[in-house]
Amino acid sequence: MDPGAALNEFQLVRRFFDRAPNRAVLGVGDDAALLRPDAGLELAVTTDMLVEGRHFAPGADARALGHKALAVNLSDLAAMGAAPRSVLLSLGLPSAEEAWLAPFAAGFFSLAERFGVDLVGGDTTRSSLRTINVVALGEVPAGLALYRSGARAGDDVWVSGELGGAALALRRPEITQVAKRLHEPEPRVELGERLRGLAHSAIDVSDGLAGDLMHILERSQVAATVEYERIPRPGVFSKVPELERECVLSGGDDYELLFTAAPAQRAALEKLAAELGLALTRVGAIHAGAPRLAVRDAAGKPVEHGGGYDHFREPR
Ligand code: ADP
Ligand code: MG
C-alpha cells in the first residue's frame, strides 16, 4: 500500500467495518448503537481480548484472526445458552494496513454473517502491539441461561467434539490436521441454544478440560470423576502419544462445550448430537462432595493432570 494514501481512522472504519445491521435499530456511525431487546429475554454480555505476542504471533494470518476474535466470544455466549445478536469490535493497530484489515474483516464478517450477528460499533486506536477486543451480546429466554453453578450430584459430564487438537497444533505446527482447531475454532452456537432446558450447567473449554471442569465444580460445590479413555480426541495423537495426556486434559483453545445433564436426558442428547452432526460424548459423572476432579484410566487408576491454563501462573 502507498503510505501517502494511508486511511485515516474514520475512513478505515467506514471502509472495513461499517455494514448495515440486520436487527439492530442503529449500527456503526453514531455515538452509540441502538438495540431493541425483546420482552421476556435476558441479555448475555461477554468480552474477550486477543493481544499480539500473547494470543497470536505477529505474522499470524489476519483472516483467521478475524474469525477467532469473534469465535471465542460467540463460544462464551453459547456456553450460557444465549443466541448471539450484536458485537462491538475494538482494535489497537500499529498502522492502517489495508493488507491486514481486508482479510481480518473478511474472516470476522464471514463468521458474523453465518450466525446473523450485527457489528454495531467499536473503537479504533493506534497501538504498537495489535490488540483485538470484542464485546458480544446475546439473548436467552429469561430463566433458561446455563450457569456454571447448576451441576448436581448424579449428573453426567458431557463434552462436544474433540479435545486437545488446538493445544497439539500450538506445540506441533507441522501437524496440519489440527491447525484449524487452533486458528479457526468453530463456536458451538447451535448446541448452546439447544442445551437450554436439557443441561444443568455448561462452560466452554478455553483453558483445558481439567481447569474448566474445576470451574463448574467450584461454582456448583460438587465433585466429578472423568474416565480418561472416554474423552474424544483427534486420531493424530497416535503419532505423538507423549503429548496426548497434557493436550487432552489441560490443553486450551478447543472451544468445545463441556456440560452436565441428568441421566434422564441421555437419549435426548444422543438425538441432538445426530441432528447437529456433532459428537456429544459422556465422559464422567458429578458426585456430592467438595470440589475435586478425579480422572481415572481404563484400569481405574488415577491419572495425573496439571489443571488448566492461567495467564498469571503457567508458562505456555
Ligand atoms: P466516539 O469518538 O464518539 O467514541 P468514534 O469516532 O470512536 O466515536 O467511532 C465512530 C463510530 O465508529 C462509532 O459508531 C463507533 O462505534 C464506530 N467504530 C469505531 N471503530 C470501530 C471498529 N473497529 N469496528 C466497528 N465500529 C467501529
Ligand atoms: Mg472513540
Side-chain angles (χ1 to χ4, degrees):
M1 173 187 132
D2 171 8
L7 295 169
N8 72 30
E9 178 189 333
F10 307 102
Q11 291 167 327
L12 181 162
V13 171
R14 203 170 314 132
R15 168 125 175 233
F16 293 106
F17 300 112
D18 189 352
R19 297 203 185 176
N22 295 303
R23 208 182 268 262
V25 178
L26 184 65
V28 168
D30 214 309
D31 294 305
L34 294 172
L35 312 175
R36 189 179 358 207
D38 287 343
L41 298 179
E42 285 168 352
L43 207 52
V45 185
T46 185
T47 184
D48 241 319
M49 180 158 74
L50 299 179
V51 177
E52 185 177 275
R54 183 79 222 166
H55 302 94
F56 60 93
D61 181 72
R63 191 186 162 96
L65 272 177
H67 173 100
K68 186 163 179 174
L70 181 57
V72 299
N73 282 278
L74 300 190
S75 175
D76 278 324
L77 293 179
M80 295 301 292
R85 296 292 185 238
S86 315
V87 293
L88 296 133
L89 169 66
S90 294
L91 291 173
L93 301 172
S95 63
E97 307 155 78
E98 299 190 48
W100 188 88
L101 284 159
F104 176 87
F108 188 95
F109 281 113
S110 106
L111 181 61
E113 277 161 16
R114 198 139 62 77
F115 293 115
V117 172
D118 290 329
L119 175 61
V120 297
D123 201 14
T124 306
T125 176
R126 191 186 287 265
S127 145
S128 50
L129 288 180
R130 284 196 186 103
T131 303
I132 307 159
N133 182 253
V134 172
V135 173
L137 297 99
E139 291 174 342
V140 57
L144 289 187
L146 303 170
Y147 291 34
R148 294 180 179 186
S149 57
R152 302 178 204 167
D155 276 1
D156 296 320
V157 177
W158 295 78
V159 68
S160 66
E162 294 176 335
L163 294 182
L168 180 59
L170 187 68
R171 285 160 183 78
R172 293 290 171 84
E174 73 279 9
I175 303 180
T176 51
Q177 298 98 300
V178 285
K180 240 184 138 152
R181 296 310 316 255
L182 176 64
H183 301 294
E184 289 180 74
E186 177 65 17
R188 301 305 187 190
V189 173
E190 296 97 338
L191 174 61
E193 291 176 47
R194 297 289 300 272
L195 288 178
R196 292 173 193 156
L198 276 180
H200 283 155
S201 68
I203 189 169
D204 65 323
V205 184
S206 55
D207 297 327
L209 175 125
D212 288 322
L213 182 51
M214 272 311 296
H215 291 314
I216 287 186
L217 303 184
E218 274 157 14
R219 295 290 241 169
S220 303
Q221 287 297 302
V222 290
T225 307
V226 162
E227 293 169 53
Y228 180 72
E229 294 306 329
R230 295 188 76 119
I231 304 170
R233 68 206 71 179
V236 71
F237 275 114
S238 62
K239 293 191 188 136
V240 279
E242 72 281 8
L243 292 177
E244 185 192 276
R245 188 173 292 188
E246 190 202 342
C247 289
V248 168
L249 285 177
S250 306
D253 270 357
D254 283 313
Y255 299 101
E256 294 296 346
L257 294 186
L258 176 65
F259 56 96
T260 76
Q265 304 295 357
R266 282 178 192 173
L269 286 164
E270 276 151 24
K271 187 161 164 271
L272 178 59
E275 248 178 78
L276 297 178
L278 174 65
L280 297 179
T281 310
R282 197 154 47 79
V283 297
I286 299 291
H287 316 285
R292 189 171 167 275
L293 170 60
V295 182
R296 301 205 195 290
D297 68 14
K301 283 197 302 181
V303 175
E304 291 299 312
H305 57 87
Y309 178 69
D310 180 326
H311 277 279
F312 292 104
R313 279 176 183 234
E314 293 164 31
R316 185 161 246 185

